[in-house]
Amino acid sequence: MTVGALLDAGAPWEPIHEILKGMDTGATYAFEQTKRHGIRAGKFKVAIENVPNKHRHLHHVFALIDKAPLSDRARANAKAVFQKLGESEAAVHGVSIEKVHFHEVGAADSIADIVGACAALDLLGIDEIHVSPINTGSGTVNTEHGVLPVPAPATASLLAGRPVYASGPTMELTTPTGAALATTLAASFGPMPAMKITSTGFGAGDRDFPTQANVLRVIV
């Protein structure tokens, strides 16, 4: 949703597509326009058919990021996001960061989400990111560790000290990947600061909710 929103806000697709292909994960990528509850939004798609669901350590993820033709800033940001993810997973499981196996967050789609978002922010020339209070959702989520309450343990760990709430559909609305992007890259959390709006973008989630638009909004 983050990548879709940034693309919809004006980030160029072709260079981002080349960056993602440069990691050679075996996944394929596409960007299209769609609608969620009547709101036009960008949809970033990652196809991972026939790609093994590898359990990667942090150094494996860093090696993939190093293969991508990224700017120094985008590469450093992507690594910082995964570093924070690794720290949260290590805390949840009570192991060292070197022993963390990335499951959902280490799959090809999540690597594409983080690298694509960092590349898009860089190509848009964004200097500061400010994030509204985060809707975690509610209920439960199915993971490789079984059924867990929302927010999942890693998400809750990442969002510690940040303003959160739960509203809307009874499901996970913020993933560890999204929480790591926000908490690693944001300069602040809270109301939108004084600014001059130059563009907006909406990123579509997979589902279309009946009562609200399943979108993430970016305001540049």
Side-chain angles (χ1 to χ4, degrees):
M1 293 173 77
T2 304
V3 178
L6 292 167
L7 288 164
D8 193 48
W13 167 239
E14 284 306 322
I16 292 172
H17 193 198
E18 290 302 313
I19 286 168
L20 295 174
K21 289 192 295 184
M23 290 189 294
D24 195 25
T25 64
T28 58
Y29 315 96
F31 174 65
E32 64 184 27
Q33 294 292 331
T34 187
K35 286 187 178 180
R36 291 289 181 266
H37 203 63
I39 300 294
R40 183 198 55 77
K43 185 72 178 80
F44 173 57
K45 292 185 173 182
V46 182
I48 55 173
E49 292 84 358
N50 302 318
V51 176
N53 185 20
K54 295 180 180 179
H55 290 179
R56 296 182 170 99
H57 291 286
L58 188 61
H59 70 272
H60 295 130
V61 175
F62 280 4
L64 286 171
I65 294 172
D66 283 333
K67 291 180 69 174
L70 289 158
S71 71
D72 290 342
R73 183 174 76 151
R75 191 184 318 280
N77 282 342
K79 288 184 175 181
V81 173
F82 265 106
Q83 179 74 28
K84 188 173 281 285
L85 266 177
E87 291 169 356
S88 68
E89 292 284 350
V92 166
H93 297 295
V95 299
S96 68
I97 193 169
E98 292 80 14
K99 292 185 178 180
V100 169
H101 282 85
F102 288 96
H103 302 295
E104 292 94 344
V105 296
D109 56 345
S110 290
I111 294 172
D113 291 340
I114 289 171
V115 171
C118 291
L121 289 164
D122 188 59
L123 288 165
L124 283 171
I126 302 301
D127 294 318
E128 279 190 357
I129 299 169
H130 301 269
V131 179
S132 65
I134 290 181
N135 188 357
T136 63
S138 59
T140 59
V141 61
N142 293 318
T143 76
E144 290 198 7
H145 308 294
V147 178
L148 296 172
V150 172
T155 304
S157 174
L158 285 159
L159 294 176
R162 276 76 172 189
V164 301
Y165 67 100
S167 178
T170 305
M171 60 179 295
E172 182 181 47
L173 298 180
T174 300
T175 64
T177 303
L181 277 165
T183 56
T184 304
L185 303 179
S188 73
F189 284 74
M192 187 168 67
M195 59 190 291
K196 183 177 182 180
I197 296 174
T198 57
S199 68
T200 61
F202 292 92
D206 288 331
R207 302 187 189 187
D208 198 2
F209 302 146
T211 58
Q212 68 187 61
N214 182 19
V215 296
L216 173 70
R217 183 172 67 168
V218 165
I219 300 176
V220 181

